[in-house]
Every structure is written in C-alpha cells, then in structure tokens.
Amino acid sequence: MPKLAASLDIITLTDTPECAAQLLEAAKTLGFVYITMAGTEITPEAVDEMFKISKQFFASPESEKASCVISANNKGWSGMLSETLDPPNQKRGDFKQAMNFGEFTQSGEPQQPITPTLSPHLPTIAHFSTLCANVSRRLLRLFAQALSISASAGGAEYFTASHTSTNGPSGSILRLLYYPPISSGDYDPSSDIRAGAHSDYGSLTLLFQHDGASGLEILSPGGGWSPVPVVSEAICVNIGDLLSYWTAGLLRSTVHRVVAPGDQAGERYSMAYFCHPVDSTPLGGIPSEIVRKRGERGANIEDEEVLTAARHLKSRLAATYGWNS
C-alpha cells in the first residue's frame, strides 16, 4: 500500500500576528512547515549556486575531502557510513556524505580547514550561511510573538540575542549533503538507509531540496512514515530537540529519515542549516504563560540542573558519532 504524503502548511513569512499564529500551529502539530523563498532574502538563484558548489566538492578526490575530516567540533567532511543517526536500529552508518561549515568570522573567514575546491567559493558560502541565520532569527521572532512573551522579558526579541553570533560561538552549522546512487551491490534495502530515523538537535532547521529529489519522510503523530513532497522555491523548516525542550514540548521535534524510494535511487543532493543558540545560553523556563501551562517538563522542571546549549549539543553528537561526551 502506498504511503500517504504528509500535508505540510506552506506559509509566506510576514511580520504579523497571523503569520506567527500559523507557524506556531504548524510547529505544535507536525513540527514541519514550508516557507516560501519569496518571503525571505534567500533566492532560488542563490540556492542553485550553492548546489553547484556542493556538486563540485563531492566530486573532488576523496583524499582532498579527507584533509578536512569531521572532528568533535562537528565541522568538516564525513564520508560514507561514518554517521549513524539511528544507532539502535542500524547495522551500519548512513549512506551519505556531508560537509559541515561552522560559523564564519565577521569578515567572512572560515574557522576550520577548507579544501582547494571550496576555497574560491568561500564568499558565496559565507553569505548564504548569513542569509540562513537571518531567516532563522526571523522565524524565532515570530515564535516568540506567538508565545506572547511580555515586552519586559524581551517580547518578540526574546530568542534573538541568544541566536546572534556576535554574542558568542554556537553550534550552528551549514551542511551540504550528498546521497550517492543506490546500487544493488552496496545497498541492502532491508537494513540500510540514506539517513537513519532521528530528530534534529538544535533550535530549528532550514532544509533546501532539489525539485523532484524526494526521500524525506516524517513519523506521523499517529504512527507510520509519511513522505514529504518537495515544494518548488520553498524552504522546509522543522523544529529541533533544543527548542522543543526549551518550550516544554509545546513545539514538536519530529522524528524523520531519508530513504531511497524506488523511483529515486539515483543521486540526491540537499542542504541544511542547523540553527543553534550561543553555547553559553541557559535553557531555563521561557517566560510565556502558554509554555508554563505545559507543567513540569523540559526546561520547566525547576529542580533539575539548567542545561546550556553547548552541553545539550555535545551529548547528542556523542551518541551519533560515538565520540566521548
């Protein structure tokens, strides 16, 4: 029986209470929503240019990519099978490669090793990362508005200071992703997967996909996997574990995965921007009556030690890569 496609809202961002309410409702139900590029600074042309850079990088020799292999700071290149997003249920790692860019300096310089193939494109990559950060902060403003955080506590700007790079380093990452073609000799569909079932770690994620490059599935609230259709000239946004924890579970961090549908066994490219707060941000209770009514859960539990954003991320990465936490 074919799977029923997930029905995600498609929203054009406006700085209005109505848009804030729409986003909150989507985040409370599926935890996934599409926003049109038309409502952002990000253009389809900028996305296409980034995909061209991504293809050049992943086509470069493995020895070159290995010169910036990923480390415990979550920056660099990860090869095939090196990341395991669903350790309890995977016999081996994900069938994908990835390149993680951490935050750039104010002058646009990377704070990590970069390969010769990528070096000429650093201004483009840095600018795209900045655009993603701007969109993320705009979304967070709308969420803060929808949560009715009082002006005395920060109001619509409640989250922005903790998501601004000038206020300190964070775990925010721009990630290029490449899923090679599936061949019968390498891939066992009964046990292998392109990206294992997982939820994202940070505040929220912006996902960019090629038209027709399907494979993303979300775990529906009632159980079962639902494919997420690719929407042209739109960005798929999902809530991460940190923001869900911070809002006492009000905003849903939904489990998702990437599979290789029968008609999509060829190569697949995507890009994701993982937005995280500044490392030192304490994840204490949010001054919102809507969140307080959730009771003692997540960041609302007052007798537990208050987590910082850095500690939250470190524990999640340790589980994914097998690093010591």
Side-chain angles (χ1 to χ4, degrees), residues 118-238:
L118 291 171
S119 291
H121 305 293
L122 286 178
T124 300
I125 299 168
H127 180 63
F128 191 78
S129 181
T130 296
L131 292 179
C132 289
N134 291 344
V135 172
S136 299
R137 281 192 293 271
R138 189 173 178 195
L139 287 163
L140 288 165
R141 286 189 188 98
L142 288 164
F143 281 128
Q145 183 177 353
L147 293 173
S148 300
I149 297 174
S150 67
S152 61
E157 300 298 326
Y158 179 80
F159 294 114
T160 53
S162 60
H163 289 81
T164 301
S165 60
T166 53
N167 291 332
S170 80
S172 293
I173 291 290
L174 174 64
R175 169 171 257 204
L176 309 181
L177 287 151
Y178 172 56
Y179 304 88
I182 298 301
S183 63
S184 58
D186 298 328
Y187 187 88
D188 180 357
S190 67
S191 60
D192 290 328
I193 193 165
R194 280 181 155 174
H198 66 286
S199 52
D200 291 346
Y201 308 156
S203 296
L204 52 83
T205 301
L206 309 181
L207 176 66
F208 303 86
Q209 304 172 93
H210 265 315
D211 288 352
S214 60
L216 175 64
E217 295 184 341
I218 64 173
L219 189 61
S220 301
W225 292 100
S226 299
V228 175
V230 178
V231 177
S232 179
E233 298 188 5
I235 305 166
C236 187
V237 178
N238 67 277

Side-chain angles (χ1 to χ4, degrees), residues 11-321:
I11 298 172
T12 296
L13 295 187
T14 58
D15 298 321
T16 63
E18 292 76 18
C19 182
Q22 280 184 287
L23 284 169
L24 181 62
E25 187 60 30
K28 286 164 53 179
T29 52
L30 289 180
F32 274 73
V33 65
Y34 271 108
I35 60 171
T36 64
M37 291 184 199
T40 74
E41 299 174 294
I42 298 174
T43 64
E45 293 76 18
V47 174
D48 288 344
E49 183 62 26
M50 285 295 300
F51 274 124
K52 289 178 184 177
I53 294 170
S54 177
K55 288 184 177 181
Q56 290 177 23
F57 170 74
F58 288 115
S60 65
E62 185 155 329
S63 58
E64 179 181 324
K65 291 180 285 191
S67 68
C68 61
V69 69
I70 196 165
S71 62
N73 65 10
N74 200 32
K75 300 170 187 174
W77 172 73
S78 57
M80 288 285 290
L81 309 179
S82 64
E83 182 179 30
T84 307
L85 287 171
D86 187 13
N89 297 304
Q90 289 181 244
K91 292 182 180 178
R92 52 180 177 168
D94 295 348
F95 270 68
K96 70 174 189 292
Q97 296 182 41
M99 178 62 191
N100 288 7
F101 299 94
E103 293 175 315
F104 289 77
T105 66
Q106 292 300 301
S107 59
E109 295 299 317
Q111 302 184 69
Q112 64 187 85
I114 295 294
T115 68
T117 298
L118 291 171
S119 291
H121 305 293
L122 286 178
T124 300
I125 299 168
H127 180 63
F128 191 78
S129 181
T130 296
L131 292 179
C132 289
N134 291 344
V135 172
S136 299
R137 281 192 293 271
R138 189 173 178 195
L139 287 163
L140 288 165
R141 286 189 188 98
L142 288 164
F143 281 128
Q145 183 177 353
L147 293 173
S148 300
I149 297 174
S150 67
S152 61
E157 300 298 326
Y158 179 80
F159 294 114
T160 53
S162 60
H163 289 81
T164 301
S165 60
T166 53
N167 291 332
S170 80
S172 293
I173 291 290
L174 174 64
R175 169 171 257 204
L176 309 181
L177 287 151
Y178 172 56
Y179 304 88
I182 298 301
S183 63
S184 58
D186 298 328
Y187 187 88
D188 180 357
S190 67
S191 60
D192 290 328
I193 193 165
R194 280 181 155 174
H198 66 286
S199 52
D200 291 346
Y201 308 156
S203 296
L204 52 83
T205 301
L206 309 181
L207 176 66
F208 303 86
Q209 304 172 93
H210 265 315
D211 288 352
S214 60
L216 175 64
E217 295 184 341
I218 64 173
L219 189 61
S220 301
W225 292 100
S226 299
V228 175
V230 178
V231 177
S232 179
E233 298 188 5
I235 305 166
C236 187
V237 178
N238 67 277
I239 302 301
D241 291 343
L242 184 146
L243 192 56
S244 182
Y245 172 85
W246 210 354
T247 58
L250 177 67
L251 305 189
R252 177 187 288 271
S253 180
T254 298
V255 173
H256 51 284
R257 67 183 186 180
V258 177
V259 300
D263 60 345
Q264 293 288 335
E267 63 183 7
R268 179 182 189 269
Y269 292 87
S270 66
M271 296 182 293
Y273 179 79
F274 300 102
C275 174
H276 288 257
V278 170
D279 287 344
S280 59
T281 303
L283 305 180
I286 291 176
S288 160
E289 190 59 32
I290 300 171
V291 174
R292 288 194 188 101
K293 288 179 179 178
R294 302 285 297 170
E296 288 202 357
R297 61 176 76 187
N300 280 359
I301 302 176
E302 294 184 1
D303 59 351
E304 288 193 358
E305 180 185 356
V306 176
L307 287 174
T308 62
R311 183 176 171 190
H312 180 275
L313 176 59
K314 189 175 181 181
S315 65
R316 294 302 309 274
L317 290 173
T320 298
Y321 289 99

